[in-house]
Amino acid sequence: MKNLLRRASPPSKNNFAMKKQNCRTNPTNEITVRSDYLNNSEGLSCEINTSISVRLVRAVTSPVPFFFSLKNSSFEKTISMAGCSFRAIWILTPHHSVAFSRTFPVVERRWRSACARDGEVETQAPLPSDLEVAAAFTDRKQREGSAHGFGIRVASSTPGSDSWVDDPVTRHIITLHINREEAEGYMLWPVIVHTSGNYYILVLPLVEPKKVREYRKLYQRNNCGGSVKEHDDLSSLLLSLPCITGAFMVAHAIGDLIAGETSDPEVVATSSSSAVGGLLDTLTGSIGIGVAPRPKPTSVPILASASSAATLMGSTLVDSSRTMTKPIDKDLLRGFISGSMPYGTPVDLNQNNIAAIRTTGFGSADPPPADLRQPAWKPYLYRGRQRVLLMTQETINAALYDREDIPDSFSISGQINCRAELEGLPDVQLPLIGVKPAKVKMLSVHQSAQYSDHGEDKQAIVFSPPVGSFVLARYQVSHATNPAPVKGFYQLSLVSEDGGQFLFRLTLMEGYKSPYCMDFCTIIMPFPRRRILSVDGTPSVGTVSMTERSIEWKIVTSGRGISGKTIDATFSGTVRFHPRVVNKSLSVSLSKSVLGCTAAEDSDEERESSNNSVNVEDVLMEKLNRDLEAVDLEEPLCWRAFNYAKVSFKITGGTFSGMTIDPKSVSIYPVVKAPVEYSMQVTSGDYILWNTLARSPHAAVPKDLC
Amino acid sequence: MPLTPFTIPQIALSDQNLVLSPPSDVNLREIRRVLAFLLDRPRDLTPGAISVLTSALVDIADALEDCVPAVSALLKVNFSSLLSSHNPFLSHSILSLYRHFSEAFNEYDIGKVAYRLQLSASDTGQKLIFRLLALHWLFGSTLLTSQVSSLTSLPGFYPQVFDPLAVKAKKLDAISVSASEGDGAVSLLEDGLVCISYFRWLPGWSTETLVAFRAMHKLLIGVMPHDGSDNGPGRTRLGSLMESTIFADLENVLIHLALEHHPLVPVIATFISRLLQCETHSPIGSRFLQTLDRCLIPNLKPGYGLSFYFPLLEKISENETVAPKGVLELLKRHMVCLTDEHGPDTGHRSWSQGSRVLSICRVMLKKHKGSQIFRPLSLLLAFTCQNFPDLEVRDNARIYLRMLACIPGKKLRQTLSIGEQKSGLAPAPLPASLIDVPPHPSPDLKKSTGIASYIHLERLKPPLVKQSWFLPVQGSVPALSNGSGPAEGGIMDIVTSVAPSSPDESNKTDSSKVAYQKEASRVMDPNTALLLRVLRTHFGCIPDYRVMPGIKIRIPCLLRFESDPFIRTWGFESCDEQTLPALYAIKITFSTLSKYGKIPSCRVPFLLGDLLKSDLAIVAVGQGNDESIEHSNFAKVFLELQPEDPMPGLIDIFINANTATEQVVSGFLRPVTIGIEDMFLKAILPPNVSDMWVSRYYSDLFDTLWEACGSSVNIGRETFPLNGGKGAVSINGKQSVKFLEVPEDVLINAVERHLAGFVVRVAGASLVKVVQQNRVIENIVWDEKEEEEDDLDVGPSGDDFSAENALVAYSREESELDVEYTQAEMESNSNDRSLAIVDKKKSVGNICVLIFLPPRYHLLFLMEIGYGSTMVRMRTDHWPCLAYVDEYLEALF
């Protein structure tokens, strides 16, 4: 405890400066002081239940001056609502009952005083109860068609609904109408919605009442919708509210927590002797107490981009996995919330940091460095064997058409994952090779890093690594130096309503030499709207299996990766489906809600179109398309409307873009001898072979890229 | 008691308003040190802390701007590198610094920020919401937005195949905005739309479709944003927008979509109605509808496929700025097509399509002024209610037709919108106003005085004789109506003998007369008896108008009115130049001093004003058999007279009508003239005369009447009962001659033109030849063999009569006739003429004309046609008519 207190109070010199800063003077001689800590006794009782959180807060925010807000003081008038605080967090089950809720009285008090200052009487209503939130959420779902809503204005939208604002972001930033029997109802905005593991996470950040008013104007506007050119539009509102972005960060952090996902990126150690663990392992290893070291995995196989790609496919292929709901570990959640956002203000959302502080605290073994500033995001310093693990991960999204009128399109996004197990607070310089030829665009780097671009092949990233695995940089490549790892075409011709012939002709790993190695390659032909009866045909390579809704062709199976050779694979055959069962009710109800019209002429349309079309396939597609549902705005396209084959593969030993890191030229300051291990892998994202014989989605390529 | 740190200066705790002195140098130095301390550390803070720090710094730097300049520059140095962090929260915090201290950043910096945001929007590794937010931040700042157009050339804003639709939508926004400046906007947009081009064949409710139409909408309103408080730029830009290529290109896109991809039609309708509902952009929506009406409707084909277009047709119908003609004509063709294609298995489809067409008609009825839609809509409804295979549709069409014809515009709209009142929403006002009979609007006398100058009821065929000399009767204003015309008394003598004033009396007289007449006929010689029998048969066919419906004369007239003076008087509000004023529920009543019986009043449900522009021709009267739908810009009205005395006369006309604004138009119109020729009818044919004997019957009847009117001695006291058995008449003949100095061909032409129906016999070979050649007069007795006797000036008819019928020799009577003719001739014509006739030996032939004058009189012409002149001998049992006939004959040429 003594130790903690010592840590909690910054050096006295700084402390003094802060006190001086407490009073802010401006030319109009107003003084603004504020405090979230002392103003609110009711908040204290629940917040300061662990000294650790206080310590963390101090550690994180120590350079920030404390402003004190004084009750009954005229100075309150100038309180700024900037910054990021949350009034409440709710977690709703799939059935729209509140599974968890947390309100922050400190923030609520600020909200109310702001309302009083602005003369907003109606918004001073107390926060809704859990039941009211659940009812309001259900109500909105009914009004807006789904839990997230339409997102853009449809025929059934009315003023006073989110879709009226006509922006996709309203699927994520929603309005709740709280209806009260005994009193006036009111609207709650902005409520951030994030879905994770079937739970809806709702976060209500604190914004100035006038911003709520501005939004209300937008969403009750009586004209046909805003344009970017109008200054009072949603965009400028969102730009002026960083707390919304903060709320999303929190929502995602909570979402990861309740879904049991870690946000750690994958880092693969190439030498089998070395072990890679999480932050906790590092800590426990170094401190040597309590928790026995877990079995060391060679990789932590969760990747943000990969998971998003999986969701894309999941919606088309597997529906059953999404219905499972894991119960919430409320203790864990409470601990996380009070640790990461004391008093409703987020300080550090790193799950590992919070968990580590919670479980281990700070021991005498890790005193703060005397001469260096320890960053707030690195509460612990690493101690142990030093090494640097680097990994480049690239994901290829490709649309292969094999048509003259549409060029194939590739987009490669990559990231550099890093795990620098280095003692102290060193700086690491990481030169990048092949940036220019690959036309790499650096999208973002870690907070601790700086990207310097000094001409031809002199690009480097300098960073001071945090503890544990992290994504050092993300980039996008518009022009890859390597050929496509899987080339060829897929043709499917529906010869009758219940059957079709297909043909694949593919070339794998052409132009790739060792050490490139294809770990696996699988092709899936999904038929989400048909039930497959049988598949005939034998591929030249690999095995074929069939499920009810898809055909899977394993060309290269994992464990038997191919390296240094080219594979030609062909597969032709026929597929038969069960007879189609028309289900009109869904499409009709959708068309009603979206278009505001009935599809009363269905029978007419059917006959009419069958008269007009000559091609059997067109007729079939058109018939099928009539039952299509509208997809969510999160989807890139209506997958079900197309015939395609999706290629999944993984290639190790190199990058697709050609951009690499030379492990030997990684320099560390202060100089230490630490081995640098570097691995590379390329995985497929949406690697789609569109049916050459049918319509397929594509996008225009800007002229300067042609 | 709140907890407060002891280090807080007391001054901050007091409630009084404090007046602090400006910071001293020492203060400022301290403050600078603190700032330097803070600015040195952003990299060490967590994103959350940086957010708090930046917001605090914004406040501090604001306050210190005067005392400590260059704070913002310091901020830039220390924070801008954090912008490239992939923590969105961090980026946003830094952006808020940019927003507050924009002057510290030059264009290059701003451009870099914009570029970075655009890159993060394309970052597929980033979560969707943060990609969206990045785009919002980019658009949210005016500084950054200005960079967007320069960034357009960059690939960043072209949506990619696998971008989520939400991102595609936002990226399309960017394209729209930057594109709206230049001409290539639509091509840029179309390039952008390629990424969701499959919306064209996906169902209309697909998300892709929504995104595509949203992009089009954004492009439009990007060119012309809502003006908000300052209404200057928006209004003025409207015109230029409509003329711009962007607009024309978009119109083409829409028309193309509607034609090629009919599942999108409802979406197009929704798109347009969204514009229509907006105050600023409703003219654009209307313009789209007009274009569709012009370019799409003519290209649509009737048939079952048309049902796709109903949503659009509904929108066009709803819009008052679009002339409904095109849609209605298309729908009419559609209904014809449906009717034609109706078969045993199309019952349901006919019903559903028919009902939808009717619902569009209903919209038309509600939204458009009756004047615009009346003709095409009534044709459509009339066709439907007569021919459509589905009973319900037929019934409904009939109801709509009835409503269209009978209920004036405003009331009709109210009536139609009753059902649409939502039950929960205060149903009281509308129905109540309908249930309560509104006070009848009193006619505006001032406005009604001059209506005769622009509302006209005119005869379809004007009378030949402008009867100017019966002016005493023409004073037909109500004040004079009590007085009876002087000519009236003179006519009464015959009528009174036939028609006693009371029914009882007439019964008695009738029975006595019948007895007397039977008595009298017994003493007749057989020839006379034959004559009398013919006359009895003839008169027995003439209805006695006192006890049964008399013989009626229908005179077709046209009712029309001039739009210009009407609008000037009645202040008709028209939305465009094409709209014409209309009259509703017109009632026309007639009154006259002449003895024409009771003239039934006429009703015209609806009448449109004359076209304002002369280039539009008057539309021909429709051929529908229901009178109420025969309308265009005039209405056909029939004057129905039941003359009791065959005299020319004047008919006064009083009109009562409603305007579209529920004003009442009432007053007298110019009277209609009735000429003597209006009274000319063919003699009634007895029912037992077979077709082949018709001409012979008429010929015989002519001879008999000729005889009867001439030899008043023989049958002067004889009475002939009329049909109905309650009245009888006697014949009191008079005769006259008229010499017409016109060439024979002119006369024949005139007879053929005006009297063709009444000619019963033509005699004389050469005349017969001419008349037969003309083929105007047919089905009469042709008498060619009397050529020789044509030489005789006098009495050929008598000879004809005797020769043909071998009834009796009329030598004495002929001589008597001769004398009488000569006398009459002497009386009415000059001696010179008669001498001239005598000189004219050679005659071409004779034409016998038998005219029936209702209610029971006759007028007979025997035209002796010579070369260069003609002698018309007239006999009648109603002598007053001779005076008019004289003028009539002169007016023939």
Side-chain angles (χ1 to χ4, degrees), chain B residues 38 99 149 151 275 654 675 692 710 732 761 767:
Chain B
L38 293 174
R99 211 166 131 260
S149 43
L151 288 171
L275 290 171
F654 187 77
M692 56 186 297
N732 184 13
R761 185 168 66 229
L767 183 62

Side-chain angles (χ1 to χ4, degrees), chain B residues 43 75-84 94 97-98 105:
Chain B
R43 287 199 168 272
L75 292 177
K76 176 188 163 188
V77 170
N78 286 285
F79 284 91
S80 51
S81 68
L82 283 176
L83 194 66
S84 58
I94 307 303
L97 284 182
Y98 274 74
F105 302 96

